[in-house]
Amino acid sequence: MPFSMGPALLFCPADRPERFAKAADRADAVILDLEDAVAPDAKQSARENLAAHPLDPARTIVRINAASTADFEADLAALATTPYRTVMLAKAESVEQVRQLPDLDVVALCETALGVLNCGGIAAEPNVVGLMWGAEDLIASLGGTSSRADDGGYRAVALHARSTVLLSAGAFGKAAIDAVYTAIPDLAGLATESVDAAASGFTAKACIHPSQVAVVREAYAPSEEAVVAARELLAAAETAGTGVFQHQGRMIDGPILRHAESVLRRAGV
């Protein structure tokens, strides 16, 4: 089924059940995390929390541990006791790993060099509903030390991975989810990155703190002026008929009209 959970996805450690409902109230969807956010000695209790503290399955993703780890099978066993059927596969690296989840909707988290290189094939799998990328694990897999330069922008290799995941998702009609912004107090930087994500075609952006949700939502919500302009452009297209035409000094063709349609979709029109 298509991914339609909204633009602001909030990670919540699965070993903190007192936060589950609060996260669900604040975000468009919650990613209950069984992987990096949970210490090894807390993973079993985190799995038990999935069934003991239920959320709306239509607005919940469970991040499970990588298929290469011993925790993978235990995560799947815990998941089977819940109504959750959308998972985020951490460190997804191959088609074969995704095929181990045939009855689940999978968001493949491509956050290693191998995962990024194989993300096209992964996106083509029928049960994959989306791709996400991760900068920090990617750089770690390369032996690097930082995904960002001194000015706060991503290094070239991180931008390449981001674009590759976005293109692969788009090529197969799957959702693309942008990586988290780790500098929590820097809401201005998050806003800039979220606006770029929305304009580039990312379906959603993951958040690691509730304060980030409103910023992401605002970035994805078209302004009133943009909605009016999109309506006027599409109305002009109906008057002009088919083919290329001019509107307010611009050449307008099919791709520009699809941009306008995307604006109205984001506005809920």
Side-chain angles (χ1 to χ4, degrees):
M1 61 184 296
F3 184 92
S4 57
M5 292 189 181
L9 314 180
L10 180 59
F11 275 101
C12 181
D15 63 341
R16 300 297 299 271
E18 73 278 6
R19 297 183 182 179
F20 287 10
K22 293 177 182 178
D25 286 342
R26 296 181 183 182
D28 297 314
V30 178
I31 305 170
L32 296 178
D33 192 3
L34 293 172
E35 197 222 8
D36 282 348
V38 181
D41 61 357
K43 286 190 184 290
Q44 183 53 40
S45 63
R47 296 184 188 106
E48 294 168 0
N49 290 334
L50 297 182
H53 303 272
L55 296 177
D56 178 2
R59 297 178 52 238
T60 305
I61 302 167
V62 179
R63 177 160 76 164
I64 59 177
N65 285 272
S68 59
T69 67
D71 289 305
F72 177 72
E73 294 295 341
D75 290 350
L76 294 184
L79 199 68
T81 68
T82 76
Y84 302 133
R85 288 299 173 264
T86 303
V87 298
M88 178 178 288
L89 178 59
K91 298 175 179 65
E93 293 188 325
S94 70
V95 167
E96 290 73 24
Q97 291 176 349
V98 172
R99 289 177 180 169
Q100 295 181 57
L101 306 168
D103 300 322
L104 297 169
D105 291 334
V106 178
V107 176
L109 179 46
C110 301
E111 53 183 340
T112 66
L114 184 58
V116 172
L117 288 178
N118 288 337
C119 66
I122 291 170
E125 286 298 295
N127 63 323
V128 171
V129 297
L131 299 182
M132 180 174 162
W133 78 290
E136 305 314 322
D137 277 291
L138 171 66
I139 295 300
S141 79
L142 296 171
T145 59
S146 173
S147 67
R148 295 182 185 268
D150 292 342
D151 64 0
Y154 279 123
R155 298 186 187 280
V157 67
L159 287 175
H160 175 76
R162 184 179 191 242
S163 298
T164 299
V165 169
L166 175 60
L167 289 168
S168 296
F172 293 97
K174 308 299 174 70
I177 301 171
D178 199 22
V180 299
Y181 193 82
T182 58
I184 295 172
D186 182 16
L187 297 181
L190 171 65
T192 298
E193 192 164 286
S194 299
V195 167
D196 178 76
S200 298
F202 280 96
T203 311
K205 187 168 181 65
C207 304
I208 55 173
H209 191 273
S211 65
Q212 297 181 325
V213 169
V215 177
V216 172
R217 282 176 171 165
E218 184 176 358
Y220 274 81
S223 67
E224 184 176 343
E225 293 80 3
V227 172
V228 169
R231 285 183 181 275
E232 290 178 350
L233 177 57
L234 293 173
E238 289 186 7
T239 300
T242 59
V244 176
F245 66 99
Q246 288 190 32
H247 177 71
Q248 297 181 350
R250 295 179 64 203
M251 183 201 80
I252 305 298
D253 58 5
I256 304 300
L257 296 178
R258 291 197 293 275
H259 295 174
E261 291 166 353
S262 293
V263 169
L264 296 186
R265 276 197 302 275
R266 283 212 187 110
V269 178

